[in-house]
Amino acid sequence: IPGVGGRLVADEVNAAGPMPRATFVPELLAARLAVGNAIRPGDLVVSLGAGNVHECAVPLARDLQLADALIDASGEDELVVRLYEPMAKHTTLRVGGPAQFWVEPATFEGAARLVRHCRAHGLPLRVVGRGSNLLVRDGGIPGVVLHCARGEFDALRVEAGTIHAGAGVRLKAVAGAARSALLGGFEWMEGIPGTVGGAVRMNAGAMGAETFDRIRSVLVVNAAGELEERPRSAIAAGYRGVSAIADDYALAATFVSPGGPCAPEAIDEATEASRRKRKASQPLAPSAGCVFKNPAGIAAGRLIDELGLKGTHSNGAEGSPVHANFIVNTGGARARDVLALIGRIRRAALDQRGIHLELEVEITGEDELLF
C-alpha cells in the first residue's frame, strides 16, 4: 500500500504509548547490528516477517551460539560478552566499525582460557585497551576483541619499591601510585591516555623515557595459551614495538623505579613539566596520538609541516594544526577519511623527500563488514 512501511508501523506503535518502544531501521544489516548489540543476558529475540528478514536473523542466531561458547570456555560466571560493539566507542580517535564479539574477562585465567578457545576454533583474536594508538577500519573487526579492564586487570598495588599493575590500569594511575610511593621516573606517564597493556605492547614513551625502561617483568598468555611471567631480560624491546611478545598477550606488568626514593617536589616538578609540554604541543580533539614514527634525521611532525600538509582535511579528518603528526576527528570522520590522509602524507614524503614513513598507530579491521 503506498505510504505504508516499517517507519509508519514504528511511528504508530510509539504513538500508542510509552511502552513498547519501536525503532525503525531501514537496512537489514544495520538492524542485525543494532539488535545484536542491544541483546543482554535473559533477553528473547523474535524474528518475524513475510520476506527476507531471515537474512538478519540467521547470522545473529549463529553469533549468539558462538557467544555462548565463549562464556562457557572462559569459566567465568559474569563474563561480559556483547555482539557488534561499535569500536568508535572504544578508540580515542572515535572511529571504527563493530567488533563481532566484544569480550571482557575479569581474571587472568579466564583470559588464558579464551585465548586457548579461540585458537582451537580458529577465531581471530586481538586485545584492545583504551584504543589510544589504534585505528579501526569501517568494516570492523571479525572475531573476538578482548578488553581486559575489569577485576584482576584493573588491580594496582605498590610493594617493596615495585609497582604491580594489570593491563587495564591507566598509565596516569601508575604515575599517581608512583608519586604516592615517592618513586621517581614515572612522571612522563601522567599525560599518556593509554593503559599498561597497550604501553607494554607498543613500548610507549615520552620525555626521553620508554615503558621498558621501567619494566621488571610482564605476565603474558604465551603462544601455547599458558600464563607465563617473563622477565625483562628475556624481552627485546624496540622503538614503539616489542617483537618479542608480538604473538603473546600482555595481562599485567611489574615496574621498578630507576633510582631510590625521590623527593615529592622533584616528582611534582617533572610531572608538571610533562603536563605543560603536552598541553602546548598536542591537540585536544579526538586523535590516536602520533600517527608516524620519527624517521632518521627529522621529526615526523616537522617533515609533514615542511611538505605543506599540516592542517590538511579529508571530510571530518584533519591533520592537526597544533601538531602535524596528529590526525584529529573534527566530527563525523570515518576510518576511510583518516586512511586517505595517511596515504596522502606517505606518498608526499616518499615522492618529495625519498622518506618512507612508518606507522606508529596500529591499523586493524576490515574495510567492509565480513561477518
Side-chain angles (χ1 to χ4, degrees):
I1 303 173
V4 177
R7 188 182 300 277
L8 178 64
V9 173
D11 290 345
E12 290 298 319
V13 169
N14 292 329
M19 290 293 287
R21 290 290 301 171
T23 301
F24 172 70
V25 182
E27 298 176 353
L28 281 177
L29 176 57
R32 172 164 70 95
L33 297 180
V35 172
N37 191 239
I39 294 171
R40 293 296 181 267
D43 287 349
L44 174 66
V45 181
V46 177
S47 161
L48 178 63
N52 60 346
V53 71
H54 63 276
E55 294 176 13
C56 173
V58 170
L60 178 58
R62 173 205 66 199
D63 286 346
L64 284 171
Q65 288 181 317
L66 292 173
D68 283 342
L70 288 168
I71 294 170
D72 293 340
S74 74
E76 295 188 9
D77 293 334
E78 298 183 0
L79 183 76
V80 174
V81 179
R82 290 199 291 272
L83 299 185
Y84 318 142
E85 180 74 358
M87 289 303 298
K89 293 169 54 177
H90 301 285
T91 61
T92 55
L93 188 54
R94 297 292 180 257
V95 302
Q100 186 175 10
F101 302 101
W102 175 266
V103 183
E104 298 181 16
T107 66
F108 297 148
E109 183 54 43
R113 290 193 188 105
L114 286 166
V115 170
R116 293 194 293 270
H117 174 81
C118 290
R119 287 179 173 168
H121 292 82
L123 275 173
L125 172 68
R126 72 159 296 140
V127 176
V128 170
R130 288 196 72 231
S132 60
N133 194 50
L134 187 65
L135 172 59
V136 179
R137 291 186 175 93
D138 296 318
I141 305 176
V144 176
V145 172
L146 215 59
H147 182 61
C148 300
R150 303 166 55 239
E152 292 182 321
F153 300 99
D154 193 39
L156 174 65
R157 71 181 192 278
V158 181
E159 57 185 18
T162 61
I163 300 174
H164 305 274
V169 175
R170 295 185 62 175
L171 294 181
K172 183 182 182 72
V174 175
R179 166 62 175 82
S180 298
L182 300 182
L183 298 175
F186 297 89
E187 299 83 9
W188 59 274
M189 290 185 176
E190 191 275 338
I192 296 181
T195 58
V196 167
V200 168
R201 177 176 174 80
M202 296 300 297
N203 193 19
M207 305 291 287
E210 294 181 326
T211 299
F212 273 83
D213 295 338
R214 308 290 182 261
I215 290 285
R216 171 175 286 180
S217 63
V218 178
L219 177 67
V220 302
V221 178
N222 62 25
E226 301 168 340
L227 295 175
E228 177 186 349
E229 187 82 25
R230 196 167 297 174
R232 170 67 180 88
S233 59
I235 304 174
Y239 172 57
R240 301 299 178 265
V242 188
S243 59
I245 58 172
D247 296 326
D248 304 319
Y249 301 95
L251 305 183
T254 300
F255 299 90
V256 292
S257 174
C262 190
E265 296 81 9
I267 296 176
D268 292 342
E269 182 179 347
T271 300
E272 184 57 31
S274 175
R275 187 180 293 117
R276 285 197 304 268
K277 181 177 179 180
R278 287 185 173 276
K279 185 176 181 179
S281 64
Q282 296 187 6
L284 296 176
S287 79
C290 288
V291 176
F292 303 104
K293 298 178 181 179
N294 290 325
I298 187 171
R302 181 180 174 185
L303 172 63
I304 296 167
D305 198 0
E306 291 179 0
L307 291 170
L309 295 176
K310 189 175 184 178
T312 304
H313 285 264
S314 176
N315 296 321
E318 177 189 45
S320 172
V322 178
H323 191 311
N325 199 18
F326 283 67
I327 293 177
V328 298
N329 184 351
T330 61
R334 303 290 298 272
R336 59 174 171 263
D337 302 322
V338 179
L339 289 167
L341 269 187
I342 288 174
R344 181 177 177 184
I345 292 168
R346 296 182 86 178
R347 286 192 299 272
L350 187 60
D351 294 345
Q352 298 180 37
R353 303 288 285 273
I355 295 175
H356 175 67
L357 281 174
E358 293 185 53
L359 290 173
E360 182 169 324
V361 65
E362 278 202 52
I363 301 175
T364 191
E366 304 292 336
D367 292 323
E368 301 293 337
L369 195 79
L370 298 180
F371 50 85

